[in-house]
Amino acid sequence: MALVHKLLNGTYILRKCLKPSVASCPFLGTRSADYCSSSLEKPAAAPGKASSQRKTEGNLEGHHQREVALDITSPEDKPEVSFDKAIKEEIKDHFRRLKNDIVNHWIGPEGRPLHEVLMEQAKVVWQFRGKEDLDKWIVTSDKAIGGRSEVFLKMGKSNRSALLYGTLSSEAPQDGESDRSGYCAMISKIPRGPFERKRFYDWSQFNTLYLRVRGDGRPWMVNIREDMDIIQRKDQMYSYFMFTRGGPYWQEVKIPFSKFFFSNRGRIRDAQYQLLLDKISSIGFTLADKVDGPFFLEIDFIGVFTDPAHTEEFAYENSPELSPRLFK
């Protein structure tokens, strides 16, 4: 009976006393009161643990502040640029390229054995498979003289060709000097060697220019320049026509080098000279058909090859009256 009375009193006290203490519950011991209060209140951390926790939080906060400080760069803390070091690295790179050129020259043309070069019947000079191939070309239009034509160059849809496109406008610029306008062009950059020395292409063993293009039916002018700075001006070139068919199909264009005629500032000269194939500096494509509107020309590759069926050396006649230097 006494045991039942104790159990009933203990249950009542645990239910009614939210914060038991020794004074309010004298029949419970000191340990029972502490246990009851600790089970109902939030446990407090020990002094040692609290200090270590505050120290850890302070370390994390300080580390975070250091990371933020590293991310924010002061305007005064600019990276130092050493021009002397840049110049030295540039000179080293040029000497390295010069060494490679000397080694390749002893091996053969373009670093290949001579017998391989002599037996070569076809060669791809330019192809378009990435942005680095586009960097070898420049585009220009009559905007340089105040015209309104626009021309752009980008990679094709499948990154396997170059797409030259834009808008041609034959409206003359309102500058009071030019009375003609309307051209767009794409020109290859002159190759450079060590110390920015000019290089040239040697096509003397080939007789035909070979292109794979796709156009919109417009006629283009193919221009070839020689590397003859001493006796030739920049406006002199050798040209021939290229007619595109239009439509979705690719076409292969073959132009013998003997067909290229000599011109200066866009005018065909009376005195014609044969193209020197061992001193080629660049090639270009010009559109100037006086038809205003959009245009495009897609190019897969540009190469040269030897056509055994073509035996013509020069397609144009000369006479002592036209070319006295050729008949001395």
Side-chain angles (χ1 to χ4, degrees), residues 42-55:
K42 184 177 181 181
K49 292 184 178 180
S51 60
S52 62
Q53 184 177 2
R54 285 195 299 270
K55 187 183 294 185

Side-chain angles (χ1 to χ4, degrees), residues 92-104:
K92 287 182 181 179
D93 180 66
H94 282 290
F95 274 110
R96 192 180 303 112
R97 294 168 58 188
L98 180 61
K99 176 185 176 181
N100 294 334
D101 284 357
I102 295 175
V103 172
N104 293 336

Side-chain angles (χ1 to χ4, degrees), residues 153-187:
L153 180 64
K154 68 176 184 179
M155 292 299 300
K157 292 183 179 180
S158 59
N159 288 335
R160 304 288 293 179
S161 61
L163 181 61
L164 180 68
Y165 67 100
T167 304
L168 186 69
S169 175
S170 59
E171 182 179 352
Q174 304 297 325
D175 56 358
E177 298 179 359
S178 304
D179 57 350
R180 294 183 302 170
S181 182
Y183 73 87
C184 295
M186 170 182 174
I187 308 170

Side-chain angles (χ1 to χ4, degrees), residues 2 4 28 40 60 64 80 103 113 116 123 137 144 150 172 180 183 186 199 211 219 223 233 240 286 306 314-315 319:
V4 174
L28 288 176
L40 296 176
L60 292 175
H64 178 69
E80 296 182 0
V103 172
E116 291 185 5
K123 179 181 180 180
W137 296 80
E150 294 182 338
R180 294 183 302 170
Y183 73 87
M186 170 182 174
R199 287 180 172 176
L211 308 97
N223 307 310
R233 297 179 180 178
Y240 199 73
T286 303
T306 301
F314 194 52
S319 63

Side-chain angles (χ1 to χ4, degrees), residues 204-326:
S204 55
Q205 66 184 88
F206 308 102
N207 60 7
T208 305
L209 182 68
Y210 186 25
L211 308 97
R212 188 170 186 262
V213 299
R214 179 165 56 184
D216 55 358
R218 287 177 178 257
W220 290 76
M221 186 76 74
V222 182
N223 307 310
I224 297 179
R225 297 179 184 270
E226 294 178 345
D227 186 17
M228 301 291 288
D229 293 338
I230 299 177
I231 62 176
Q232 185 180 10
R233 297 179 180 178
K234 64 178 182 178
D235 297 324
Q236 297 177 349
M237 63 184 69
Y238 293 83
S239 309
Y240 199 73
F241 301 100
M242 180 181 68
F243 300 95
T244 58
R245 292 195 296 258
Y249 301 105
W250 291 92
Q251 67 179 101
E252 296 180 355
V253 180
K254 301 176 183 179
I255 306 175
F257 291 124
S258 61
K259 301 292 185 183
F260 282 83
F261 51 83
F262 181 64
S263 62
N264 186 8
R265 292 183 177 272
R267 299 179 181 273
I268 302 176
R269 308 299 297 178
D270 292 335
Q272 291 294 315
Y273 305 99
Q274 190 172 356
L275 176 63
L276 301 178
L277 296 175
D278 60 340
K279 297 289 184 179
I280 304 298
S281 62
S282 66
I283 189 172
F285 304 91
T286 303
L287 177 65
D289 58 356
K290 299 182 179 181
V291 179
D292 296 353
F295 67 89
F296 81 91
L297 177 67
E298 194 171 0
I299 307 174
D300 184 8
F301 65 84
I302 304 168
V304 291
F305 81 105
T306 301
D307 186 2
H310 183 77
T311 58
E312 183 182 54
E313 294 185 0
F314 194 52
Y316 308 102
E317 296 181 356
N318 279 304
S319 63
E321 292 77 13
L322 296 176
S323 305
R325 291 186 301 170
L326 300 179

Side-chain angles (χ1 to χ4, degrees), residues 124-142:
V124 175
V125 185
W126 293 279
Q127 62 181 352
F128 303 94
R129 301 296 183 265
K131 186 181 180 300
E132 62 277 3
D133 297 325
L134 295 183
D135 295 337
K136 301 176 183 178
W137 296 80
I138 57 175
V139 292
T140 182
S141 67
D142 55 23

